[in-house]
Amino acid sequence: MIKMIFSDMDGTLLDEQGQLPDGFDSVARCLRERGVMFAPCSGRQYFSLLDTFRDYREEFLFLAENGTMVRYRGKELFSSPMDHGMGMQVIRALEDVPHVYTAYCGKKNAYVLERQYDAVFAAEMRKYYTHCTTVQDFEGIDDEMIKASFWDSTGQADRRIYDPLRRFRGPLQVALSSDSWVDVMNADINKGVAVRHVQRSLGVRPEECAAFGDYLNDAELMEAVGYSFAMANAHPSIKRLARYETESNAEHGVLRGIRRLIDAGLCDP
C-alpha cells in the first residue's frame, strides 16, 4: 500500500496560474484519513513551499531546492551544502552574460545581486522565493549555499545557461529545470536521492511511494518510487521513465491520479 506521495509543483501540481488546484484540500483530507503523507518535491525554496501550504506546515514533508533541503515540522532531515569556492566559480562563469540573472540559494535565505534585481527579475523570483534579499556581491554571505540558480529572461536556458555550464558537470550537477531556469547543485544530489534518504529515514519502501512530475529535474524522482506518474504536459523523457500518465496540470492531473490510487484501494491503511 502507498504510504507517501511526492509531487513536483510547477507544471505538475500547480495550475496554469501557479495556484493549488480546486479540490486539493479534499484530497489532502482523504490522504490524512488514510495515513498517507503528502510531500511537495520542488525546485522552489523551502519558505516558498511553507507559504503555499500554510495549513499543512505541521503535516507535510517538504523537499525543497530540488532535494538539497528536506524538512519536516521545521526540523532539517537532510541537506546538501555546496563547496563555496566551487559555487562561486559557477556564478562567475555567467556573470557577464546578458539577460541571465543569478540567485545564491542558501539555507536561511536566497540572495540576488542588487544591480540585477530589476522589476522583471523581482517578479520571477517571487514565484519561487518568498525569502530573498539583495547583496552587493555574493562573497562573504553568512549562509551555506545549497544551490545556485540561473534565470534566462529570453527563455533559452538550454543554450545560454545549460550549455556554458556543462564543463562543471562531474563535481557538480547542472539541471535544466524549465525553459528559463537552470539549477546547479552537488553532483550526488537530486530529487531522487532526497526521496531515497527520506525512505530510509522513515522506513518506507520505494514500492510504498508514488510521485508526480513533468520536467527533466524529475527524472530521478520517477525512478525512486513504485508508482511514477508523468503529466500529460510532461517532457517526453519523463513520459518514457514514468510507469503511468495522468492529465495535465491544467486539468488537475495530480488530484485525478491520487483519486485513482485511492479508488483502487492502494492508499488504504
Side-chain angles (χ1 to χ4, degrees):
M1 295 299 173
I2 293 172
K3 295 181 179 179
M4 294 195 72
I5 296 178
F6 301 89
S7 179
D8 176 51
M9 294 286 284
D10 299 281
T12 302
L13 176 61
L14 302 182
D15 64 21
E16 296 294 89
Q17 287 71 48
Q19 303 297 315
L20 288 174
D22 292 339
F24 178 81
D25 289 335
S26 175
V27 169
R29 185 168 56 252
C30 288
L31 293 178
R32 182 191 309 121
E33 291 169 351
R34 290 163 172 78
V36 179
M37 180 179 288
F38 186 80
C41 189
S42 174
R44 288 180 176 234
Q45 183 188 43
Y46 168 69
F47 301 105
S48 173
L49 294 177
L50 284 186
D51 283 353
T52 299
F53 298 100
R54 290 184 183 90
D55 296 334
Y56 301 95
R57 292 184 175 202
E58 298 299 309
E59 182 176 343
F60 290 173
L61 183 145
F62 297 96
L63 288 86
E65 308 275 19
N66 277 334
T68 61
M69 172 64 72
V70 181
R71 289 184 180 176
Y72 179 55
R73 294 181 174 174
K75 179 182 177 181
E76 180 181 311
L77 299 185
F78 173 74
S79 68
S80 181
M82 296 171 62
D83 175 78
H84 179 76
M86 181 65 72
M88 291 305 301
Q89 285 185 45
V90 174
I91 286 173
R92 284 192 286 268
L94 293 173
E95 61 185 356
D96 296 323
V97 179
H99 308 295
V100 169
Y101 300 76
T102 303
Y104 177 120
C105 306
K107 288 187 178 183
K108 297 183 289 188
N109 214 333
Y111 307 87
V112 297
L113 295 175
E114 186 173 318
R115 65 177 180 274
Q116 286 189 337
Y117 205 54
D118 56 22
V120 175
F121 187 39
E124 184 69 13
M125 284 293 291
R126 280 194 294 269
K127 297 178 185 177
Y128 313 106
Y129 299 89
T130 55
H131 280 44
C132 180
T133 189
T134 59
V135 295
Q136 294 297 319
D137 60 67
F138 293 122
E139 292 289 355
I141 292 175
D142 183 24
D143 199 352
E144 292 182 277
M145 184 191 301
I146 54 175
K147 187 180 71 173
S149 291
F150 303 90
W151 179 59
D152 177 17
S153 63
T154 71
Q156 303 176 75
D158 56 344
R159 180 177 63 83
R160 304 183 72 247
I161 301 176
Y162 183 78
D163 286 348
L165 294 183
R166 281 179 183 270
R167 61 190 175 93
F168 292 100
R169 294 177 65 181
L172 296 173
Q173 177 186 175
V174 182
L176 185 67
S177 54
S178 76
D179 292 339
S180 300
W181 282 93
V182 170
D183 295 322
V184 180
M185 306 156 287
N186 284 330
D188 59 352
I189 187 63
N190 51 58
K191 291 182 181 181
V193 169
V195 166
R196 293 187 189 281
H197 182 89
V198 169
Q199 290 166 342
R200 289 192 298 271
S201 298
L202 301 183
V204 178
R205 295 174 295 171
E207 57 266 32
E208 295 174 320
C209 299
F212 296 81
D214 77 303
Y215 211 73
L216 299 177
N217 60 336
D218 296 318
E220 294 85 1
L221 174 61
M222 298 291 100
E223 297 172 332
V225 302
Y227 297 87
S228 52
F229 288 82
M231 311 303 292
N233 53 289
H235 189 283
S237 296
I238 299 303
K239 289 186 176 182
R240 287 193 292 270
L241 279 173
R243 293 182 62 186
Y244 309 100
E245 185 172 325
T246 189
E247 290 83 355
S248 71
N249 65 314
E251 300 170 292
H252 304 174
V254 171
L255 301 190
R256 293 188 179 194
I258 292 175
R259 289 192 182 280
R260 291 189 190 102
L261 294 173
I262 292 173
D263 292 344
L266 293 170
C267 296
D268 293 342

